[in-house]
Amino acid sequence: MTNVHSPTGDPSDRGQRAWTQVVLSGMKNKVPNVLSRKDQFGERERFDSDTIWEEETIAQKIMAQRATAMIQNTLFMETVLFSFKASDFQHHTEAFKLVNDNVGEIISGRPITKYGNPQRNELIIEVKFCDPTNGTKAVKEGFVFKDILYKGVPANDGANDKLVRLSLSQLPFFVSRQELSDGLRQSLGRFGKVCQVKRLTNRGYFEGEAVVILDISPQDDAPWHQLERRLHLATWDIVVPASFKGAPPICFLCRQSGHIRKNCPRLEHVTCFNCKGKGHYARHCPEPKATEGQQLDDYLESTQKVSEKVRDQQGRTTKRAKATKEQVVIETPSNDGINKSQLHAETATSDAQSTETDQGEMDEVEYEEIMETDRNNTSAATTKRKLPKKVGSSKMVRKTVINAFKATSKRTGNGTTPLIQKQQLLKQLHEQQAASQANGQDLSGFSILPPTTDPASGRLAHD
Ligand SMILES: [Zn+2]
Ligand SMILES: [Zn+2]
């Protein structure tokens, strides 16, 4: 139960908050699941209802509404409805005769329950009296049949009233029947005319759930307050979840009412991992799922960006590294036109940076070195580098790619096809690289070399 009391719990603070503030604070909250059909033990909830208060004419109104709902049509003017037990008759026309004999001559009638539920022991008929005064008599006095008093219901009286069945939960479960009825009638009076209050009990226990029938037919003076998924009950100063037909939807993402998941404002800030679009998660991406190769390309691109950023921040270190690049050049066989000195400069840069960058950047650098290791296993210095145990930002993607590369390398060692795939992937990459180079861009931040093979064994270089 969301209590809107002041955080201090001091009741004297209550008066200082505007009523609208109290209500609004309740509305901002999430809407919990209301009246779930099954409990945590998987059993279907069975509630017994106990009518604790009702308006005199509500039974008639409900019957008129049920009849209207069954035939999916309006009832005729000046007709009268009767509801009998179906088991008391052999044929529904016997009910017409019963009314004709006990109240007055009828022109004719029709069985409404013909369109209803055959499982129910119920026979609702609509009849029209020759003399309209007999209709009034049927409604006011009725007649006795098998010791039961049957009264007619004017078919159009209340049939057009807008009755709403409101299910409430999280009510105070320790109040008496009278307190509950009074409290609900008092608190819900703003939303409509309370016609009936039913307390729901679960195996004899009242657990704070109730059903209220509200008449929300438009009235002449002030309009009713609109029903919401969370209603403020002034009697107890609580906001409780409510459910009713035509209630505003509840968003499955943020669980606030008033919009569906698709229109959730939270999605504005979400970027899809699949298509990089805004406003949805990869799980709901309309684009085809990116292949591993595309994901790798995307990853490598992002790596390059990060490397450039790091290098910009560490300009001083880069200069120092460039000065020492001659010392770390290692001859590796490569059939690619990439400037090796630049690439090895990056290796040196990385070494220099690792002392000064933060953990996230260090991971980036270390990762690059591992990738180097993967190709240049002739370099004793880098081969000794271990996979970073602690992985920083974007760790999952990085780790995945590292593992993928390792796995690929191992498999290619046995002369299987993934080597070709890997080469194709990197070929694409190098084409992009070459294009960038042609535009005069500095690619020294780009640390990925093509898969190099040991000319002697033809195997992919791998430690
Ligand atoms: Zn939402
Ligand atoms: Zn997407």
Side-chain angles (χ1 to χ4, degrees):
M1 171 158 54
T2 303
N3 204 318
V4 292
H5 287 170
S6 62
T8 58
D10 183 358
S12 63
D13 284 357
R14 248 191 259 181
Q16 293 167 7
R17 291 177 69 188
W19 186 85
T20 44
Q21 280 179 315
V22 174
V23 176
L24 270 176
S25 70
M27 293 308 157
K28 272 186 231 153
N29 287 327
K30 293 179 179 185
V31 184
N33 283 328
V34 182
L35 296 182
S36 61
R37 303 254 181 230
K38 282 186 178 169
D39 65 14
Q40 63 268 49
F41 308 105
E43 295 224 357
R44 203 181 155 82
E45 296 271 32
R46 281 185 194 282
F47 290 103
D48 297 311
S49 68
D50 161 26
T51 305
I52 52 175
W53 186 84
E54 70 180 4
E55 202 195 29
E56 244 177 75
T57 55
I58 187 64
Q60 297 182 359
K61 281 185 183 174
I62 291 171
M63 190 169 109
Q65 293 223 325
R66 285 199 51 222
T68 311
M70 271 182 221
I71 60 171
Q72 289 291 298
N73 213 330
T74 49
L75 300 161
F76 290 107
M77 289 306 285
E78 293 175 356
T79 57
V80 180
L81 293 169
F82 286 93
S83 177
F84 299 106
K85 283 185 207 163
S87 56
D88 286 345
F89 305 94
Q90 295 293 319
H91 191 261
H92 70 259
T93 52
E94 288 170 27
F96 298 154
K97 188 172 185 299
L98 184 75
V99 173
N100 192 86
D101 295 350
N102 285 281
V103 184
E105 199 187 337
I106 60 165
I107 300 168
S108 193
R110 60 172 172 174
I112 301 293
T113 34
K114 186 179 165 182
Y115 308 96
N117 182 352
Q119 307 299 318
R120 292 177 81 135
N121 180 21
E122 177 182 55
L123 174 66
I124 297 175
I125 57 165
E126 183 189 11
V127 296
K128 181 133 182 144
F129 291 97
C130 299
D131 182 354
T133 56
N134 280 334
T136 317
K137 193 182 146 199
V139 171
K140 287 197 171 155
E141 296 167 25
F143 64 92
V144 176
F145 170 61
K146 289 192 176 176
D147 298 332
I148 295 171
L149 176 68
Y150 287 94
K151 277 187 178 181
V153 172
N156 273 299
D157 187 12
N160 297 320
D161 284 357
K162 286 189 82 179
L163 297 185
V164 171
R165 188 179 181 275
L166 193 64
S167 299
L168 300 170
S169 52
Q170 301 185 4
L171 296 167
F173 52 88
F174 41 79
V175 298
S176 70
R177 294 167 93 249
Q178 187 64 43
E179 281 174 307
L180 183 70
S181 139
D182 291 348
L184 287 177
R185 285 172 61 201
Q186 189 198 331
S187 304
L188 297 172
R190 303 180 295 116
F191 302 100
K193 193 173 143 204
V194 179
C195 298
Q196 190 185 60
V197 180
K198 274 185 177 175
R199 213 170 73 122
L200 300 184
T201 51
N202 203 346
R203 300 187 188 198
Y205 289 94
F206 174 61
E207 299 175 333
E209 313 215 340
V211 172
V212 175
I213 291 179
L214 281 181
D215 183 352
I216 57 160
S217 310
Q219 51 176 9
D220 294 336
D221 35 345
W224 302 118
H225 283 254
Q226 200 174 350
L227 286 169
E228 297 287 347
R229 282 291 195 163
R230 296 179 64 81
L231 296 178
H232 179 251
L233 302 181
T235 310
W236 300 286
D237 193 13
I238 52 173
V239 179
V240 299
S243 79
F244 51 94
K245 204 174 170 183
I250 295 176
C251 171
F252 287 149
L253 187 65
C254 69
R255 288 217 66 85
Q256 289 181 353
S257 75
H259 63 270
I260 56 171
R261 190 188 194 288
K262 202 178 90 182
N263 304 327
C264 186
R266 252 194 218 183
L267 284 174
E268 276 175 32
H269 312 288
V270 169
T271 306
C272 172
F273 277 138
N274 190 41
C275 72
K276 310 288 170 284
K278 287 264 178 191
H280 63 273
Y281 286 100
R283 192 152 44 105
H284 298 103
C285 185
E287 301 296 323
K289 203 168 180 287
T291 62
E292 265 182 40
Q294 283 165 329
Q295 284 173 347
L296 183 61
D297 281 350
D298 288 346
Y299 172 70
L300 295 175
E301 248 171 67
S302 69
T303 311
Q304 185 179 13
K305 276 178 199 156
V306 175
S307 303
E308 278 168 4
K309 194 175 145 203
V310 170
R311 200 178 54 253
D312 290 347
Q313 286 168 354
Q314 305 290 336
R316 188 177 49 84
T317 324
T318 310
K319 273 180 207 157
R320 204 172 68 202
K322 273 181 181 164
T324 57
K325 68 183 171 185
E326 293 309 315
Q327 298 163 22
V328 292
V329 166
I330 302 148
E331 283 302 317
T332 42
S334 169
N335 44 15
D336 188 89
I338 291 179
N339 186 332
K340 278 204 200 70
S341 64
Q342 275 182 342
L343 285 156
H344 291 294
E346 177 62 17
T347 313
T349 309
S350 301
D351 276 329
Q353 279 166 355
S354 59
T355 56
E356 287 171 45
T357 52
D358 67 27
Q359 186 54 48
E361 287 164 338
M362 201 141 103
D363 289 342
E364 196 70 50
V365 168
E366 281 178 357
Y367 164 68
E368 285 165 9
E369 286 173 6
I370 289 150
M371 299 305 281
E372 285 276 335
T373 309
D374 195 28
R375 298 176 305 269
N376 306 327
N377 66 342
T378 48
S379 161
T382 49
T383 312
K384 277 174 190 162
R385 284 225 171 233
K386 291 257 166 69
L387 190 76
K389 283 258 160 49
K390 191 180 161 197
V391 189
S393 54
S394 32
K395 64 257 173 197
M396 291 311 286
V397 186
R398 203 171 301 159
K399 216 167 181 175
T400 312
V401 177
I402 292 167
N403 292 339
F405 259 76
K406 286 202 152 199
T408 312
S409 308
K410 270 179 190 150
R411 269 179 284 147
T412 45
N414 299 329
T416 47
T417 46
L419 172 63
I420 298 160
Q421 287 173 2
K422 189 178 169 186
Q423 278 173 333
Q424 281 170 344
L425 285 174
L426 288 156
K427 202 180 151 198
Q428 285 173 20
L429 202 64
H430 296 137
E431 278 165 6
Q432 290 170 14
Q433 245 179 353
S436 318
Q437 226 169 12
N439 295 335
Q441 287 174 18
D442 181 10
L443 277 176
S444 58
F446 207 87
S447 62
I448 306 299
L449 280 170
T452 51
T453 48
D454 185 333
S457 64
R459 285 168 58 116
L460 183 81
H462 188 259
D463 52 351

